[in-house]
Amino acid sequence: MPQRKVLDARNTFCPGPLMELIANMKLIGVGDELEVLSTDKGSADDVPEWIKKVGHQMVGTTEVNGVWHIVVRKAK
Amino acid sequence: MQILIVGGGTGGTILGNSLARRLANEIRAGKVRITLLSASDKHMYQPGLLYVAFGQMTPDQLYRDEASLLESSIDFHVDPVTEFHLDRNEVKTGSGKTYAYDLLVIATGARIVPQEVPGMAEGSENFYTEEGALRLHKRLMEFRGGTVAMVVSLPHKCPVAPIEAMFLLHDFFKARNIRDKVKLQYNYPVNHVHATANVARWAKPEFDKAGIEYETLFNVREVDPVKKIVYSEEGTECKYDLLIAIPPHRGMEMVETNNLGLGGWIPTDRFKLTMNDHDNVYVIGDATNIPVSKTGSAAHFEAEVASDNIVSVIKTGVPVREYDGRVYCFIEAGFDRATHNAFDYINLPELKPPTKSVHWFKVAYNQMYWSTVRGLL
């Protein structure tokens, strides 16, 4: 059964949410999901751009009280 | 109370010395005992490896005996931990001994794993070990012209080191009067030349001025050492004559084998610095999974917070403060100028133009580090 791991990258600038996401994608299995929490609104654009480029899947993006919840699925 | 510190790097050493001084009365009275276990009798100043790669320091300048850095009241053993038994507050070591504790600090650091990228170990150089830095220096001295490419794997220590290396390469080849024969190509995993927006905003025009070329959204997938091509996960490729890799990192192997955290990164409360679900276990430095830079600077500030809280809990029963994500780093912008970078969980770094004075302060800090780990600075 696919697992979902939450990656709390709120209020982080260095290395930042996208770097944390890319690093953690290596540690999960194909079909598993990562939910990135980010307070940087740029993540809502940066993450989908990278996910599309490398062929993983976007599951969804929501914003709750200034925190973006970006859910991605490892596809390969 | 038995305090056990596992790891004799920057974080473990600063914390051990701070606790030994501030709990001196309790130690003398036999109420507190501090033990530090390390895998090595030597302490390395890791940032110096970059200078070794460019011939500006020699390896012997990077080491001190760990025992010489520690307060004499610390019970120090070179005996690497092999097993953590957090359920019964004890660890086992390579010598077969068992060490019990009331309070454990894990400060075991990180390691490079270039072997996780096909071809990287065979096809690239790096400056993350003494052997690697010396080999890179030799390759740079022999280099006569062509493309020097850099690839940056994730995760890695010290996020500004790749940028520093590019500026140093520029000045290194300029000093050898062959800069016009060398193409410098920087490949970076996210969509800016640095993960931190303000650092990227500063570095991009500096790269342009130095003629350093760059490709972003380049995550290394494979290196072909025969064809001398590196392929990205994004479907692009880069030809090179000399490849410098920032290898992927993991936490220490025994952290992984003891199932303390995915990738060897231990789940840690980013404010309290305690291991999740283990209030008597602190984690500091590279070993945490906190989303801050894996640097000596972060380890230093984390060690100060952990020390304040451990001392306060022993003396008053309550902790005093939280880690605010504070990090400070120098950024070398060439052989004779540098800037600096400070930030925390709330405040973004604001970079100033590089100056010679900041560079010379960094050169001085390369020696002052030994006062820092002794807890004198």
Side-chain angles (χ1 to χ4, degrees):
Chain A
M1 188 176 166
Q3 307 280 312
R4 180 179 291 187
K5 184 185 172 213
V6 177
L7 189 59
D8 186 356
R10 289 175 293 174
N11 295 316
T12 60
F13 308 117
C14 186
L18 181 55
M19 294 273 260
E20 293 287 344
L21 170 83
I22 295 171
N24 275 274
M25 284 295 265
K26 295 178 190 170
L27 300 175
I28 64 171
V30 173
D32 289 346
E33 295 175 351
L34 274 179
E35 179 178 355
V36 185
L37 311 186
S38 174
T39 42
D40 176 3
K41 64 180 179 186
S43 301
D45 297 323
D46 294 349
V47 171
E49 181 188 358
W50 182 74
I51 289 291
K52 188 178 170 192
K53 204 157 187 174
V54 298
H56 295 305
Q57 292 170 1
M58 278 300 301
V59 176
T61 303
T62 52
E63 193 236 314
V64 182
N65 299 327
V67 178
W68 276 262
H69 295 244
I70 306 160
V71 183
V72 304
R73 185 178 297 124
K74 184 168 176 167
K76 58 181 187 179
Chain B
M1 168 180 274
Q2 172 66 59
I3 300 172
L4 177 64
I5 301 171
V6 180
T10 302
T13 305
I14 289 175
L15 178 60
N17 283 331
S18 176
L19 292 176
R21 284 203 186 89
R22 297 183 63 190
L23 297 171
N25 289 337
E26 288 79 1
I27 292 170
R28 270 194 295 272
K31 292 178 183 166
V32 170
R33 183 178 167 86
I34 301 172
T35 301
L36 192 148
L37 302 176
S38 179
S40 171
D41 63 341
K42 296 279 188 277
H43 185 115
M44 178 199 259
Y45 175 58
Q46 295 181 35
L49 289 167
L50 184 63
Y51 297 90
V52 170
F54 287 93
Q56 297 183 333
M57 287 179 91
T58 50
D60 57 302
Q61 294 176 286
L62 308 184
Y63 295 97
R64 296 284 187 280
D65 289 335
E66 175 67 11
S68 74
L69 302 173
L70 293 172
E71 288 287 317
S72 58
S73 61
I74 296 173
D75 180 32
F76 171 57
H77 300 279
V78 179
D79 197 1
V81 169
T82 53
E83 295 175 28
F84 289 90
H85 297 284
L86 304 183
D87 53 334
R88 49 180 199 260
N89 290 350
E90 61 184 39
V91 302
K92 279 197 171 175
T93 61
S95 70
K97 286 185 185 159
T98 297
Y99 289 82
Y101 62 83
D102 299 298
L103 196 144
L104 173 68
V105 180
I106 305 178
T108 43
R111 66 195 161 115
I112 58 168
V113 283
Q115 65 275 17
E116 291 188 355
V117 178
M120 183 178 277
E122 308 87 322
S124 70
E125 308 296 342
N126 72 69
F127 49 83
Y128 285 81
T129 62
E130 179 188 328
E131 183 195 16
L134 284 171
R135 206 172 64 177
L136 173 56
H137 178 57
K138 190 165 179 286
R139 291 287 307 274
L140 289 174
M141 291 302 289
E142 290 167 355
F143 201 73
R144 296 287 175 262
T147 299
V148 178
M150 174 176 288
V151 289
V152 180
S153 311
L154 295 176
H156 61 264
K157 289 186 196 189
C158 187
V160 296
I163 284 180
E164 292 183 294
M166 294 310 295
F167 290 131
L168 293 171
L169 284 167
H170 171 71
D171 278 4
F172 177 85
F173 290 121
K174 213 168 65 175
R176 289 185 53 208
N177 291 319
I178 58 167
R179 179 64 184 92
D180 57 335
K181 296 182 176 64
V182 179
K183 177 185 171 184
L184 295 178
Q185 175 69 40
Y186 173 84
N187 301 299
Y188 198 67
V190 297
N191 51 353
H192 304 285
V193 297
H194 192 267
T196 308
N198 287 2
V199 177
R201 260 194 290 280
W202 166 77
K204 190 168 178 285
E206 293 280 343
F207 275 3
D208 290 337
K209 208 160 57 184
I212 296 167
E213 299 179 36
Y214 42 82
E215 180 173 335
T216 55
L217 286 177
F218 189 107
N219 283 278
V220 58
R221 174 172 56 85
E222 185 177 352
V223 177
D224 185 333
V226 179
K227 291 182 183 166
K228 294 192 169 180
I229 299 175
V230 54
Y231 300 95
S232 78
E233 284 187 37
E234 289 79 4
T236 54
E237 60 184 56
C238 171
K239 291 185 179 171
Y240 65 86
D241 296 293
L242 171 59
L243 180 65
I244 302 174
I246 307 299
H249 286 61
R250 278 182 179 259
M252 287 310 194
E253 202 168 357
M254 90 295 211
V255 173
E256 288 196 79
T257 54
N258 281 272
N259 296 315
L260 296 190
L262 199 59
W265 313 119
I266 301 171
T268 305
D269 185 295
R270 66 160 77 177
F271 301 109
K272 294 180 189 167
L273 301 177
T274 49
M275 184 177 175
N276 291 353
D277 304 321
H278 294 277
D279 288 344
N280 70 332
V281 180
Y282 282 81
V283 192
I284 58 172
D286 294 353
T288 78
N289 74 338
I290 298 176
V292 298
S293 311
K294 294 192 180 299
T295 61
S297 166
H300 180 171
F301 291 125
E302 289 167 8
E304 288 182 348
V305 172
S307 171
D308 284 351
N309 287 338
I310 291 167
V311 168
S312 182
V313 166
I314 289 172
K315 290 177 185 279
T316 73
V318 288
V320 282
R321 66 179 176 120
E322 294 184 329
Y323 177 57
D324 60 1
R326 190 174 171 201
V327 178
Y328 176 93
C329 12
F330 292 99
I331 307 176
E332 291 280 29
F335 277 1
D336 63 356
R337 60 198 197 112
T339 182
H340 56 104
N341 186 13
F343 55 93
D344 56 36
Y345 290 144
I346 305 297
N347 300 294
L348 269 166
E350 293 289 344
L351 270 72
K352 302 283 189 299
T355 63
K356 287 190 178 186
S357 55
V358 176
H359 165 72
W360 287 112
F361 190 78
K362 166 65 174 170
V363 171
Y365 185 77
N366 290 339
Q367 304 304 320
M368 288 154 65
Y369 171 77
W370 302 111
S371 300
T372 301
V373 284
R374 287 185 173 101
L376 304 175
L377 188 69

